[in-house]
Amino acid sequence: MRSLGYIGAFLGGAIAGAAIGLLVAPETGRDTRAKITDTVEDFLKKHNIKLNRKEVGDLVDDIQDVTEE
């Protein structure tokens, strides 16, 4: 059970780091959101984590909200 906490922390840190990197890039918001979504989906697929498109979108929105503050 403890390993799930480590995986969750790593996943959150990796996604937040990628999102911050993409958010400071000089691109439109739509392009940035698409890149973040694609990156998250690739990560989830690589690690066999099942989320649907809406859940990934919600996760991306949550990451954007945190990075804007």
Side-chain angles (χ1 to χ4, degrees):
M1 198 61 136
R2 192 174 207 181
S3 63
L4 288 177
Y6 291 127
I7 292 171
F10 176 77
L11 176 64
I15 291 171
I20 290 170
L22 289 172
L23 290 174
V24 297
E27 295 183 1
T28 65
R30 178 177 290 146
D31 292 340
T32 301
R33 282 189 297 277
K35 279 188 171 185
I36 292 171
T37 301
D38 291 342
T39 302
V40 169
E41 286 178 341
D42 290 344
F43 180 86
L44 296 175
K45 189 180 295 181
K46 180 179 177 183
H47 296 283
N48 199 26
I49 300 171
K50 306 280 192 237
L51 292 177
N52 64 35
R53 181 81 174 173
K54 181 179 180 342
E55 291 171 327
V56 171
D58 291 344
L59 180 58
V60 169
D61 290 341
D62 291 345
I63 291 168
Q64 284 180 317
D65 290 344
V66 170
T67 57
E68 289 175 0
E69 294 177 356

